[in-house]
Amino acid sequence: MILNKKKIIFLHIPKTAGSTFRMFLDSLNKQETFAHYHFGTKGIIPKFHPDYFKISKTDNNFKPLEIYSGHFVFSKHCIDSDLLTFIRDIHETFFSNFYFFYFRTFKKKNMNVKNFDFIKNYIELNIKLSLDDVTTIKNLLENNFINSNPFTKVFAGIPFEKYFFVKQDLKINDEIYLLALKNIKYFKYIINNKSVKQFFFNFLNKYDFKVRSFTSQNVANYDRNLINLISNKLHDDILEYNKYDNMLLQEIKKSRSYI
């Protein structure tokens, strides 16, 4: 057995370039240098735990580097690893989640149906990719049918629903925020999604990987001008709904881990 193995843990926050990073890992020459273990969840994003991963004895004995990735929130099992995650502008994250989980997950894949059926009992839900969506989003926020503060929940270790549209948002408080703030110190890399390429090259050099190629995944081709217009009209509403994330991101930018 190889001693002093290095372990990398990637906590994938939805819609922050995480799928691109996973595909990037798959593009590496991993047969000799490392083992990549991934776990996917369709419901609640759980606390990270090694038991979620199926690891063969062969990999466990002979690979000097282990990488664990998936939709998880922080846990004590993340400590003493090279822990990393990606973050993104609050408004960009909001609208990427909003339209992805409506058009891609619900309309195209017929997933999260129970939550949408529940929501439709209370408000009219006809998302059109038009300015009419402003009213719909306001109604969703007022009724707490949208996930709030996903960054703070991940850093604090608070499990939450992945699908963004929910029956009842899980609210957090100042104590949870302070816990998230405290846990920043355990992250080796906190990468802004606009710095992805820079981080990838640094990552290759740091861990001595050989890369083949990588491409961005799940890139939406919505009308950016329209999204920006809707975002501007809802700017303060979204910030207020995600006030802890707004505070946390300001502190993250001061951290040595931030790229």
Side-chain angles (χ1 to χ4, degrees):
M1 176 180 291
I2 295 177
L3 301 178
N4 300 319
K5 284 187 177 183
K6 182 174 285 291
K7 180 168 63 177
I8 297 172
I9 296 175
F10 169 51
L11 305 182
H12 181 182
I13 303 173
K15 308 311 294 175
T16 58
S19 295
T20 297
F21 183 60
R22 182 187 170 192
M23 294 302 103
F24 169 74
L25 292 175
D26 289 340
S27 74
L28 300 176
N29 181 11
K30 62 183 180 180
Q31 298 304 314
E32 298 177 359
T33 58
F34 76 100
H36 175 209
Y37 307 110
H38 177 79
F39 175 81
T41 177
K42 294 182 179 180
I44 300 295
I45 297 178
K47 287 178 176 285
F48 177 86
H49 197 290
D51 288 350
Y52 284 107
F53 302 88
K54 295 180 180 180
I55 303 173
S56 71
K57 291 184 179 180
T58 301
D59 280 351
N60 196 39
N61 288 333
F62 296 102
K63 298 297 175 69
L65 174 63
E66 297 171 345
I67 302 178
Y68 299 84
S69 69
H71 291 289
F72 292 100
V73 302
F74 180 86
S75 76
K76 65 180 182 180
H77 298 284
C78 297
I79 300 174
D80 296 326
S81 69
D82 283 3
L83 180 63
L84 65 95
T85 194
F86 288 81
I87 60 172
R88 190 178 184 183
D89 172 82
I90 289 174
H91 293 85
E92 289 181 0
T93 305
F94 181 93
F95 284 100
S96 184
N97 274 296
F98 184 78
Y99 287 113
F100 179 86
F101 282 107
Y102 182 75
F103 287 113
R104 181 85 173 268
T105 303
F106 174 57
K107 285 292 188 178
K108 186 176 181 179
K109 295 187 177 181
N110 199 36
M111 299 170 70
N112 199 27
V113 174
K114 290 183 179 180
N115 281 354
F116 277 105
D117 285 345
F118 180 87
I119 292 170
K120 289 176 182 179
N121 288 326
Y122 294 88
I123 66 171
E124 183 178 352
L125 190 62
N126 186 17
I127 298 170
K128 305 174 181 178
L129 263 176
S130 74
L131 284 178
D132 291 342
D133 292 346
V134 171
T135 300
T136 301
I137 293 171
K138 280 181 174 289
N139 288 335
L140 286 164
L141 296 178
E142 289 172 0
N143 287 277
N144 295 310
F145 291 145
I146 296 291
N147 259 326
S148 68
N149 300 294
F151 299 114
T152 306
K153 289 171 181 173
V154 168
F155 277 76
I158 305 300
F160 64 99
E161 285 197 61
K162 173 185 175 182
Y163 285 137
F164 196 65
F165 293 86
V166 296
K167 294 179 181 179
Q168 181 67 43
D169 177 41
L170 172 64
K171 298 301 183 184
I172 57 176
N173 54 29
D174 291 350
E175 184 179 358
I176 298 299
Y177 167 72
L178 292 175
L179 179 58
L181 200 61
K182 178 182 177 182
N183 287 342
I184 290 175
K185 65 184 180 184
Y186 295 115
F187 285 76
K188 187 174 183 66
Y189 303 109
I190 305 173
I191 308 100
N192 186 301
N193 75 309
K194 291 182 171 58
S195 302
V196 167
K197 288 186 178 180
Q198 173 192 337
F199 168 71
F200 283 179
F201 289 121
N202 292 343
F203 189 82
L204 291 172
N205 292 330
K206 169 70 176 178
Y207 299 101
D208 195 27
F209 288 134
K210 296 178 181 179
V211 67
R212 294 171 183 162
S213 64
F214 66 88
T215 56
S216 296
Q217 303 295 313
N218 294 331
V219 177
N221 56 358
Y222 305 132
D223 183 343
R224 297 310 311 171
N225 291 329
L226 173 63
I227 301 299
N228 290 336
L229 183 58
I230 297 174
S231 180
N232 289 337
K233 288 181 177 294
L234 292 166
H235 183 273
D236 293 344
D237 301 83
I238 293 171
L239 278 189
E240 176 60 27
Y241 199 75
N242 295 281
K243 67 175 184 177
Y244 289 113
D245 274 8
N246 187 34
M247 294 189 296
L248 185 68
L249 292 183
Q250 299 310 312
E251 294 303 316
I252 285 174
K253 291 176 181 178
K254 303 174 186 177
S255 168
R256 289 182 297 177
S257 303
Y258 179 69
I259 297 176

